[in-house]
Amino acid sequence: MLSSLSYLDIAIILIYFGIILWIARWASNTKSASGSAVDYFLAGKNSGWLVIGASLFASNIGSEIILGVSGAGARGNMPMANFEIIASLVLILLGWVFVPFYLRTGVYTMPEFLEKRYSKACRSYLSVISILAYVITKISLIIFAGALVFETIGIPFWSGAIITVVATGFYTVLGGLKAVIYTDMVQAFILLIGTIAVTAFGLYALGGWDHMIDVITIASSQEGNPPTEQFFNLWRPMADTEYPWTGMLFGAPILGVWYWCTDQYIVQRTLSAKDINNARKGALFAGYLKLLPVFIFFIPGVIAYALLQEGAIDFSMENADQALPAMINGFLPSGLKGLAIAGLLAALMSSLSSAFNSSSTLLTIDFYQKYKPMATQKDLVSFGRIATVVLVIVSLGWIPFMKSLMGGGIFHYLQSVQAYISPPIAAVFLFGLFYKWINAKGAIVSLWVGFAVGVFRLVAEFLSNEGTIQVNEGSFLGVFLGINFLHFALFLFLLCAVILMVVSKMGQPQPAEMLELVTFKRRSERPKVKWSSDATLTVILIGLVLALWWLFSTWGIAN
C-alpha cells in the first residue's frame, strides 16, 4: 500500500513522528536538575487533569482494540462495545474510591500499596504476576497488533515491529513517565481526529445513516448475514454463550476494577497527579472519552460492513478485524488516509510506551530498590532506563516467535491469563479498602486460591480445545469449562471474597495505626461531603452511560 500513499499522506505521518519525538525531547529537558525517581517514574507529581485523562484513554486504546472493536462492528457483535462503556463507570470508582488512598500513601506502584495494606508476601505476588503478564502477553500483543497494522499499509511485518519498538522505546527511555503522558495526550487527540474523520467520511460516502440501515437490512435477508438489530443491541439473553447480559452487567465490571483501578499499566498516570482533585478529574475525563469508541471504533466497522455489501471495499468476514484497514486502504482519499494511519500509530505507540514505562517502574521500585534499599535517586533512574532498554531488547527478541505463537492456540490462552487472574486481585484491593478486619493472611490465601482456580480453568480449557483431554458434556469438568468467561469472573470474584473474609475472621486484624491511610474511616469519623463540580460531572457521566444503554437496546434503535 505504500505505493498508494500520496506525498500528503506520507507528510502527515512524518509530521506525526516529528511532533511525538519533539514532545519527548521537551519532556526530558524540563525535568528537575535533581533527576529524581519521582521525576522519572511519576512525572514529578505535577500532572493536570487534562494530561492524566488523555493519557488514561490513549494507554488503553491500542491498535488491537481499534481493530477488534471495529471488527466486532462488521460482525454485528455489539456487546463487545459494552466493555468500553462499562469502563466509564469503573473510572468513576478509580477517581472517587481508589485514587485518594494511592495519593495519600505516596506509593509508586500497586504492589507497594498492597504491602502497606497487607504484607510483603502480597506485594511480591502482585509484582511477579504483573511483570510476567506485561512481558509475556501485554507487550507482545501490542507489538504484534502494531506490526499487523504496518503490514496492512504495505510495510513488512518485521520492519513494522522493529520500527514500533525502537521508536517507542527511544522516547520512553529518554523522558520517563513525563514523556509518556505528554505524548499520550497528543496521541489521544490525533487518534480521535483520525477515527472521527474516518467515521464521518464513511457515512458521507455511504449516503448517510438511513442508507446504511437500508443496506444492512437488505443484506440481512441473505443466509449467514446477521439481522439488522444485532448491529445495534448491547444486550443479549442470559443463555448467550458469548456475551450474556448478566455477565456484562456483573462480570465485566470485575475485570474493569482490576484493569482500571489496580493495574500499574493504567493507574500510574493518576499517581503523577499534582493533587487528588486533578487525579479525580482526570479519571472522569477519561470516563467521558471512553463513551466515544462506540461511535468512532464500532460504527466504522458497521460502515465497513455496509460498504462491503455494496462492493465499495473488499475484506473477508472470516477476518472481520481487517474491516478498518480495508476502509483505509481502498476507500479513503489522500490526506485522510495519512491522518487515519497516524491515528492507528498513535494508538499503538501510546499503549507500548505505557507498557514499557510501567514495567520498568515495577522492576525498579519492587525489585531493584527492595534489594538495594540504599540506592540513590540517580541509581533508581539509571536502573529504570536500563530496565526499559532491556525490555526493548527482549521485545525485539520476541518478534521472531510471534507469528508462530499467534498462529496457534497457545498465545490466545496466554492472553486469557489476565482475565482469569484478575478477580482475586480485584477482591483483595476492593474489600481491603472497606473492611479493616480483613488481614494479610486472608489476602494471600485468597490470591493464591484464586490464582490456582484461574490457572486450572486456563490449562483445562487449552488442553480440551487442543484435543489433549476429552471432556464429557455432563461431567464436573465439562460444566466447569462450560461456564461463560464473564460468569466465571463473577464466580471467582465471589469465591475469593468469601475466602478473604473467612480466613480473616479466623485470625487477628492488623494494627489500627497500620491501616489509618489504607482503609476508609468509620462513617462518624469522616468529614461531611460537600457537593462539587466533580460530583456534578459524575452524575452527568452516569446519565450518559444509562442513555447509551437505552439507545442501543430493544427499547432504542435495536427494536
Side-chain angles (χ1 to χ4, degrees), residues 376-457:
T376 65
Q377 294 289 298
K378 287 189 176 180
D379 289 339
L380 294 177
V381 173
S382 296
F383 183 85
R385 285 200 168 104
I386 292 168
T388 307
V389 171
V390 170
L391 287 165
V392 169
I393 293 169
V394 169
S395 301
L396 289 172
W398 236 160
I399 293 171
F401 302 101
M402 282 185 201
K403 273 203 164 178
S404 58
L405 283 174
M406 288 297 245
I410 190 168
F411 205 92
H412 168 77
Y413 294 104
L414 284 174
Q415 275 303 306
S416 301
V417 169
Q418 296 180 56
Y420 292 142
I421 65 171
S422 59
I425 296 171
V428 164
F429 268 89
L430 195 59
F431 288 103
L433 296 180
F434 286 94
Y435 302 106
K436 293 178 183 292
W437 52 267
I438 287 177
N439 60 28
K441 188 174 182 181
I444 197 65
V445 171
S446 178
L447 287 170
W448 278 114
V449 171
F451 178 81
V453 174
V455 169
F456 174 74
R457 156 89 180 220

Side-chain angles (χ1 to χ4, degrees), residues 230-461:
Q230 193 171 309
F231 287 91
F232 306 106
N233 193 351
L234 288 166
W235 308 103
R236 289 186 180 175
M238 192 168 71
D240 187 80
T241 56
E242 288 186 306
Y243 303 109
W245 72 267
T246 44
M248 270 296 171
L249 212 52
F250 302 111
I254 292 166
L255 304 183
V257 167
W258 162 73
Y259 179 81
W260 288 103
C261 302
T262 72
D263 191 8
Q264 183 73 20
Y265 176 77
I266 289 295
V267 178
Q268 193 167 341
R269 278 111 203 85
T270 62
L271 301 183
S272 74
K274 59 179 73 172
D275 52 41
I276 291 175
N277 185 50
N278 274 279
R280 182 180 293 132
K281 274 190 169 64
L284 293 174
F285 178 47
Y288 279 93
L289 291 177
K290 286 298 288 180
L291 299 177
L292 297 177
V294 176
F295 303 101
I296 60 176
F297 302 159
F298 184 84
I299 295 300
V302 181
I303 294 169
Y305 174 79
L307 291 170
L308 176 68
Q309 302 305 315
E310 292 205 322
I313 61 174
D314 182 41
F315 64 92
S316 170
M317 284 300 293
E318 293 180 3
N319 188 15
D321 288 355
Q322 292 300 310
L324 192 61
M327 278 184 71
I328 294 171
N329 275 344
F331 191 66
L332 296 184
S334 176
L336 188 53
K337 186 179 291 186
L339 191 61
I341 292 170
L344 286 175
L345 289 173
L348 161 65
M349 293 174 70
S350 60
S351 297
L352 189 55
S353 65
S354 299
F356 281 151
N357 186 254
S358 57
S359 299
S360 78
T361 304
L362 287 169
L363 287 168
T364 304
I365 304 300
D366 289 328
F367 291 96
Y368 179 73
Q369 189 180 42
K370 186 177 177 181
Y371 294 106
K372 274 207 165 185
M374 303 303 293
T376 65
Q377 294 289 298
K378 287 189 176 180
D379 289 339
L380 294 177
V381 173
S382 296
F383 183 85
R385 285 200 168 104
I386 292 168
T388 307
V389 171
V390 170
L391 287 165
V392 169
I393 293 169
V394 169
S395 301
L396 289 172
W398 236 160
I399 293 171
F401 302 101
M402 282 185 201
K403 273 203 164 178
S404 58
L405 283 174
M406 288 297 245
I410 190 168
F411 205 92
H412 168 77
Y413 294 104
L414 284 174
Q415 275 303 306
S416 301
V417 169
Q418 296 180 56
Y420 292 142
I421 65 171
S422 59
I425 296 171
V428 164
F429 268 89
L430 195 59
F431 288 103
L433 296 180
F434 286 94
Y435 302 106
K436 293 178 183 292
W437 52 267
I438 287 177
N439 60 28
K441 188 174 182 181
I444 197 65
V445 171
S446 178
L447 287 170
W448 278 114
V449 171
F451 178 81
V453 174
V455 169
F456 174 74
R457 156 89 180 220
L458 178 75
V459 173
E461 193 175 273

Side-chain angles (χ1 to χ4, degrees), residues 489-510:
L490 177 60
F491 157 75
L492 189 55
F493 177 80
L494 294 175
L495 173 67
C496 292
V498 169
I499 291 170
L500 181 65
M501 293 179 178
V502 170
V503 175
S504 293
K505 280 292 186 183
M506 293 168 64
Q508 294 296 318
Q510 290 164 271

Side-chain angles (χ1 to χ4, degrees), residues 6 9 119 356 545:
S6 68
D9 294 324
S119 65
F356 281 151
V545 169

Side-chain angles (χ1 to χ4, degrees), residues 20-21 23-25 27-28 31 39-41 139 164-181 183-184 187 268-269 348-361 381-389 391-392:
I20 295 305
L21 293 176
I23 291 171
R25 186 170 179 272
S28 64
K31 294 182 294 183
D39 262 349
Y40 191 77
F41 297 113
I139 292 175
T164 301
V165 172
V166 172
T168 309
F170 172 74
Y171 75 73
T172 307
V173 171
L174 193 68
L177 183 64
K178 189 165 189 177
V180 170
I181 62 174
T183 52
D184 277 357
Q187 287 164 330
Q268 193 167 341
R269 278 111 203 85
L348 161 65
M349 293 174 70
S350 60
S351 297
L352 189 55
S353 65
S354 299
F356 281 151
N357 186 254
S358 57
S359 299
S360 78
T361 304
V381 173
S382 296
F383 183 85
R385 285 200 168 104
I386 292 168
T388 307
V389 171
L391 287 165
V392 169

